[in-house]
Amino acid sequence: MTASVVTTALVWAGVVVLGGVGSVLRFMVDRAVGSRTARAFPFGTLAVNVSGAALLGFLGGLALSRHAALLAGTAFVGAYTTFSTWMLETQRLGEERQVRVAVANLIVSVMLGEAAALLGLKLAEQL
């Protein structure tokens, strides 16, 4: 077996493990935040996506190797954050005629996500 085959196998194993860890952590954070806020606004998903944006911004500011970036950014943060849940929750808010909350979810998520990613990037640049 060549070194590149072993490396590829290890990277794929890392993707599986870190992706699993990221998705379990997403579930835990979403539930912890959601249980403390009994409102229509999906604060759990917001917390997950904003913290994930900050982490991804931070990782983007580091000089990571291709494999490390894949494992940290795509596998872990990609599994941790959740665009699909954000969109589904926004769509459901619209169906429930909570249009202001749905629009607020879109605007607040994008603004805080952008700010968090920039903050993460700036923090990494300070290292």
Side-chain angles (χ1 to χ4, degrees), residues 4-30:
S4 66
V5 170
V6 171
T7 300
T8 301
L10 289 173
V11 168
W12 276 103
V15 167
V16 169
V17 170
L18 290 173
V21 170
S23 63
V24 169
L25 186 59
R26 173 182 71 217
F27 178 79
M28 292 170 58
V29 170
D30 181 45

Side-chain angles (χ1 to χ4, degrees), residues 2-127:
T2 67
S4 66
V5 170
V6 171
T7 300
T8 301
L10 289 173
V11 168
W12 276 103
V15 167
V16 169
V17 170
L18 290 173
V21 170
S23 63
V24 169
L25 186 59
R26 173 182 71 217
F27 178 79
M28 292 170 58
V29 170
D30 181 45
R31 293 292 179 228
V33 172
S35 70
R36 288 171 173 75
T37 58
R39 295 193 170 93
F41 193 89
F43 285 104
T45 301
L46 178 66
V48 164
N49 286 340
V50 171
S51 62
L55 180 56
L56 194 56
F58 181 79
L59 293 170
L62 300 177
L64 298 177
S65 71
R66 181 173 57 95
H67 291 281
L70 172 71
L71 291 171
T74 303
F76 179 75
V77 179
Y80 173 68
T81 58
T82 176
F83 180 83
S84 57
T85 301
W86 174 46
M87 289 295 99
L88 181 61
E89 289 170 343
T90 304
Q91 186 271 332
R92 285 187 180 159
L93 288 167
E95 275 184 357
E96 295 168 358
R97 300 188 188 277
Q98 297 184 51
V99 176
R100 287 184 180 170
V101 178
V103 171
N105 189 33
L106 291 171
I107 293 170
V108 168
S109 293
V110 170
M111 291 178 66
L112 289 180
E114 284 288 326
L118 181 60
L119 178 63
L121 181 65
K122 295 296 182 188
L123 286 172
E125 289 174 351
Q126 298 302 313
L127 298 178

